[in-house]
Amino acid sequence: FMKQIVKRSRDEYNELQLRNTTLQKEVSLRTSDLKKANSELKKTNFELEKINEERTNAFVNIIHETKTPLTLVNNYLDEYISNHKETPELSVIKNSVHKLSKDIGNIFDTERLVKGFEVYDHQQVTNFSQILQDNVLLSRPFFEKKGIIFSDNIENEVYIKADPRAIISIVNNLFENAIKFSSTDGKVHII
């Protein structure tokens, strides 16, 4: 009886040893496979980041190349206005060119922000009234074209402590949304 117990114990021990060895080999194999997969994943992530960076750089370069002709258009427009009188239509064109220039600046600001650079200086004093008045002048034709009843009552000389580029961006967005989301015969009042 004792011999059977000892034999059975030895057999169980040998089987456990065999299973342990097999298990260690399987863990080692899976760990190796996992390390390879992790290495390949890191390589793929690096390649995707590189492609994304190249795409972003190409986009920023295109935007930069757009800024140069836009500046030329603006300069020639200024010259034309100084030689002739400024009409309401030319004023709208001038403001639209100015808005495009600001939007291009915003794209550059976004890229600087993504790369961790400081974008805005909110210690500046900004003429908020002037920003609103400029946007009213630029947006009025669009409100009228869409049939939106538009009025304004902007107090003069209201100053705020904020970066003017940030405020211009916010105000542009508000005006664009007012035009976009107001129905015909809707009312928008800027005060």
Side-chain angles (χ1 to χ4, degrees), residues 73-88:
V73 167
N74 189 45
N75 291 343
Y76 282 112
L77 186 58
D78 284 341
E79 185 177 326
Y80 183 85
I81 289 171
S82 70
N83 292 335
H84 304 81
K85 68 176 191 166
E86 185 169 351
T87 64

Side-chain angles (χ1 to χ4, degrees), residues 137-155:
L137 181 66
L138 179 64
S139 301
R140 189 176 299 280
F142 298 106
F143 282 109
E144 291 170 358
K145 183 178 180 182
K146 193 171 176 186
I148 299 168
I149 299 165
F150 180 77
S151 60
D152 65 275
N153 182 10
I154 301 168
E155 188 178 328

